[in-house]
Amino acid sequence: MLSKIFVPPDQPVKVEDTSNKLIKFGILGAANIAPPALIIPAKSHSEVIVYAVAARDQQKAQKFAKKHGISKVYGGNDGYQQLLDDPEIDAIYNPLPNGLHFEWTMKALLAGKHVLCEKPFADTAEEVKQMFDLAERKGLVLLEAFHYRFHPAIQRVKAILNSGELGKINSIDAKLAAPAGAIKDTDIRFNLALGGGAMMDIGCYTLNCIRYLTSSDPTSVVSATAFPLKAANINETKIDRAMNATLALPNDVLATLEVDLAMPWEFFPPKLFKFWVEVKCEGGDVELLNFVLPTFCHSIKVSTKAGGTTTKRIEKVYKFADAHMDDNSKALDLGEDWWLTYRYQLEAFVDKIQGRTPQTWVTRDDSVSNLEWIERIYDKAGIAPRPKSDYVLLAE
């Protein structure tokens, strides 16, 4: 299956007709995330062409374009804006550092482009509101790239919880951590000016997952502890290498999250990564291992308790036909077992642009709330939220 992920077996001819406009994408920055997030998924989508890429470094842009078969290249200090001004481009993929999301998404919207922007959407919730305000005034599609939400694995877990099979939710715990050394101290993820920090990076996933599976926002941040990048007092830095937080949710549900961009090595037993979400309920538990990238292997472990007996089962869901979600006829025919979360996301984004109803969506309120609670977690931890962008919208 892995070979199919990177070289899709079904690569349709890209033909534009009167009913389905061929959507041409431009990428802001020659980012490492762009191939799995857009370029590979676009290969198997008949309505998508990755048409152009821009980078500050002209040679880097040209090398990236040649490697990935992109026909148009923009480079230099004005490269991003030149790409936005290209009338051939319909949609923008924005994988720039967090601190640049607001400025270049706003400029893309001003240029009349639909935008798929990496998460977190911006450095502040207020900026997210401004982005959506502009998109709505322009009649454009704007989506925060919480790609995992579009995959049937996480949706299957939510369906199990919503079914009442396990009873009331008591607690939920989400963990994401990478081992020390995987990310260098000089990485942009640790740059405050660019919106860095563990809570902003992988932390936004865990918070979003908690909110999604419980269908609720927190009522308060009970506790939050930030761990600094270096062995220094936390008050001497505003960058969190790691963050642990406990949240109170409605109906007496307690949520915990743990994220770490440089987790200390554990050899006995060996633990290189943490990437799961576990929900404990009155009538049993459900755990999804690898909720962020389930295409590469995941498991849904369900444990039910009844009459003093515990029953366990394991499910694996790679396409909607296997997800037992009969209430959504569109979903039944959607997907292949080799589709990345990003491919499911692209399907929804294109559906929205083409005026079709996507299988699922990440709404404005969802995106705004996620940033608001990230800010509150930072406040509770005693370090300020990320600084807002200097960009100011002067005219439309």
Side-chain angles (χ1 to χ4, degrees):
M1 186 172 71
L2 290 179
S3 62
K4 293 180 181 179
I5 292 173
F6 298 104
V7 184
D10 182 17
Q11 299 190 37
V13 177
K14 314 285 185 172
V15 178
E16 185 170 351
D17 58 35
T18 56
S19 60
N20 293 307
K21 174 181 171 57
L22 190 62
I23 298 170
K24 294 182 179 180
F25 271 83
I27 302 174
L28 292 175
N32 292 332
I33 189 61
L38 178 63
I39 295 171
I40 292 172
K43 292 178 180 179
S44 62
H45 201 302
S46 62
E47 299 169 68
V48 173
I49 288 285
V50 180
Y51 172 78
V53 63
R56 302 289 192 188
D57 185 324
Q58 178 77 33
Q59 290 186 338
K60 184 178 181 180
Q62 290 174 337
K63 183 178 179 181
F64 186 90
K66 182 178 180 180
K67 179 178 180 180
H68 298 291
I70 300 173
S71 60
K72 204 71 172 285
V73 178
Y74 294 98
N77 293 333
D78 298 324
Y80 292 167
Q81 188 60 52
Q82 289 173 358
L83 182 143
L84 297 182
D85 292 337
D86 188 331
E88 290 291 316
I89 295 174
D90 306 293
I92 297 298
Y93 173 54
N94 183 354
L96 296 171
N98 300 338
L100 300 178
H101 284 176
F102 175 68
E103 175 181 356
W104 288 102
T105 294
M106 293 292 279
K107 288 179 177 179
L109 294 169
L110 284 173
K113 316 297 186 185
H114 306 288
V115 181
L116 173 63
C117 182
E118 275 303 331
K119 84 301 303 156
F121 238 154
D123 282 356
T124 71
E126 180 56 38
E127 290 172 341
V128 178
K129 294 175 184 177
Q130 292 181 47
M131 292 157 71
F132 275 104
D133 286 346
L134 181 56
E136 290 164 8
R137 290 198 298 271
K138 293 285 187 178
L140 296 167
V141 176
L142 176 61
L143 176 64
E144 185 175 19
F146 274 114
H147 55 96
Y148 84 99
R149 290 270 295 270
F150 297 86
H151 195 276
I154 192 69
Q155 293 191 36
R156 172 58 182 154
V157 173
K158 186 171 177 62
I160 290 171
L161 293 169
N162 290 349
S163 72
E165 173 188 356
L166 301 178
K168 175 187 174 296
I169 295 175
N170 289 332
S171 65
I172 180 170
D173 178 49
K175 287 180 169 60
L176 276 179
I183 301 172
K184 296 181 179 179
D185 289 359
T186 54
D187 192 277
I188 60 171
R189 293 172 178 83
F190 298 125
N191 187 321
L192 180 66
L194 294 177
M199 193 61 220
M200 287 290 286
D201 190 69
I202 53 179
C204 70
Y205 279 108
T206 56
L207 176 62
N208 188 270
C209 188
I210 287 169
R211 295 176 50 254
Y212 174 63
L213 291 181
T214 61
S215 302
S216 63
D217 280 327
T219 55
S220 68
V221 180
V222 178
S223 65
T225 303
F227 299 86
L229 179 59
K230 299 185 183 299
N233 186 286
I234 188 61
N235 294 322
E236 296 173 358
T237 178
K238 295 181 180 179
I239 283 291
D240 49 314
R241 183 214 84 209
M243 180 75 76
N244 291 350
T246 300
L247 311 169
L249 277 69
N251 301 315
D252 298 320
V253 176
L254 199 64
T256 54
L257 64 85
E258 177 185 333
V259 293
D260 198 333
L261 292 172
M263 180 178 65
W265 288 77
E266 296 181 30
F267 295 99
F268 301 103
K271 287 184 181 179
L272 297 182
F273 296 92
K274 294 181 180 179
F275 44 47
W276 62 82
V277 58
E278 182 179 19
V279 187
K280 293 186 178 297
C281 306
E282 290 181 343
D285 310 326
V286 58
E287 177 188 78
L288 174 55
L289 182 67
N290 193 12
F291 69 93
V292 174
L293 294 171
T295 308
F296 292 99
C297 186
H298 71 274
S299 65
I300 302 171
K301 299 178 181 179
V302 184
S303 174
T304 58
K305 305 171 185 176
T309 302
T310 299
T311 303
K312 297 182 179 181
R313 71 177 188 269
I314 295 179
E315 299 183 18
K316 294 179 183 292
V317 180
Y318 291 95
K319 53 186 179 180
F320 280 97
D322 304 325
H324 309 293
M325 295 170 63
D326 297 336
D327 60 326
N328 191 330
S329 58
K330 173 182 171 59
L332 291 178
D333 298 325
L334 180 62
E336 301 289 346
D337 57 5
W338 48 267
W339 273 24
L340 290 165
T341 51
Y342 302 103
R343 178 60 180 82
Y344 282 104
Q345 175 180 261
L346 182 62
E347 188 79 9
F349 188 67
V350 171
D351 278 348
K352 198 78 166 180
I353 292 175
Q354 301 286 35
R356 302 186 292 259
T357 301
Q359 187 274 330
T360 195
W361 197 248
V362 180
T363 66
R364 170 192 176 123
D365 289 345
D366 197 344
S367 293
V368 170
S369 292
N370 219 59
L371 253 298
E372 287 177 338
W373 285 100
I374 287 175
E375 290 176 326
R376 290 168 186 171
I377 289 171
Y378 273 124
D379 283 337
K380 189 70 173 183
I383 56 177
R386 310 303 84 175
K388 67 178 183 179
S389 171
D390 293 331
Y391 177 75
V392 177
L393 176 64
L394 297 177
E396 296 181 34

